[in-house]
């Protein structure tokens, strides 16, 4: 609970390093998916994976929009502050994944539980990639805008 009550600190955003987390997450999840034994997936599962990646990307884009960013001319650095709401969304997604897994294990719906849980992991890849791409686009625009440039998250005042 303290995590949500404490104001998020503004931190420097290293634009040149934004690619690292998506690559690392994609590699780790990809290796986990590749080396986990499972039944063969059908075309419906692969369509579900594409949909999960797309929804993850959209969620990541939206989550990046909740990040306040500004250009600090003195430090020649883009500064960013995540919102408490963005953290709450991530916690909610993790809880939803666990709840769906429990529900599918107890329900006889004829769904491939492995495909559904893999879709959640692919959703996570899309979320991280979508967020970092949007943050990179906004940060580059701020750097080009120079002194006084600011991109506040919706509903936030300076």
């Amino acid at each position: 609970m303290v995590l949500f009550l404490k104001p998020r600190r503004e931190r420097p955003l290293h634009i040149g390093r934004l690619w690292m987390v998506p690559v690392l997450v994609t590699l780790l999840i990809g290796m986990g998916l590749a080396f986990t034994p499972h039944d063969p997936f059908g075309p419906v599962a692969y369509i579900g994976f594409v949909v999960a990646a797309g929804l993850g990307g959209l969620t990541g884009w939206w989550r990046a929009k909740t990040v306040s960013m500004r250009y600090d001319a003195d430090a020649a650095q883009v500064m960013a502050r995540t919102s408490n709401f963005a953290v709450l969304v991530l916690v909610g997604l993790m809880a939803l994944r666990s709840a769906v897994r429990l529900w599918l294990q107890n329900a006889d719906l004829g769904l491939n539980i492995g495909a559904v849980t893999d879709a959640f992991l692919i959703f996570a890849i899309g979320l991280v990639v979508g967020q970092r791409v949007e943050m990179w686009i906004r940060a580059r625009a701020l750097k080009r805008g120079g002194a006084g440039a600011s991109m506040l998250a919706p509903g936030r005042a300076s």
Side-chain angles (χ1 to χ4, degrees):
M1 191 56 145
V2 174
L3 180 69
F4 298 112
L5 298 176
K6 184 176 109 177
R8 309 297 294 167
R9 273 191 349 196
E10 188 175 62
R11 296 182 178 185
L13 182 68
H14 302 283
I15 299 170
R17 297 183 197 161
L18 284 174
W19 64 272
M20 291 178 180
V21 171
V23 168
L24 184 64
V25 165
T26 302
L27 284 173
L28 291 174
I29 290 176
M31 287 181 357
L33 293 174
F35 295 117
T36 301
H38 55 74
D39 295 330
F41 297 130
V44 173
Y46 288 110
I47 290 170
F49 296 157
V50 171
V51 169
L55 289 174
L58 285 173
T59 305
W61 169 80
W62 174 78
R63 186 170 183 259
K65 291 289 190 181
T66 67
V67 175
S68 295
M69 299 170 80
R70 70 174 180 84
Y71 183 74
D72 183 355
D74 295 335
Q77 180 73 44
V78 175
M79 304 298 286
R81 180 181 323 156
T82 60
S83 71
N84 289 336
F85 184 68
V87 174
L88 184 63
V89 167
L90 281 182
V91 171
L93 286 171
M94 289 187 286
L96 178 64
R97 178 178 181 258
S98 298
V100 167
R101 178 184 289 172
L102 283 173
W103 179 66
L104 285 175
Q105 287 174 343
N106 296 325
D108 188 20
L109 301 175
L111 293 174
N112 184 337
I113 295 173
V116 174
T117 56
D118 286 358
F120 269 98
L121 294 173
I122 292 169
F123 177 90
I125 292 172
L127 186 139
V128 170
V129 170
Q131 178 186 7
R132 294 302 175 115
V133 167
E134 175 61 21
M135 288 177 68
W136 179 78
I137 290 169
R138 289 176 59 203
R140 288 200 35 152
L142 279 172
K143 263 190 124 164
R144 275 193 229 113
S150 177
M151 289 188 176
L152 295 176
R156 295 186 91 164
S158 59

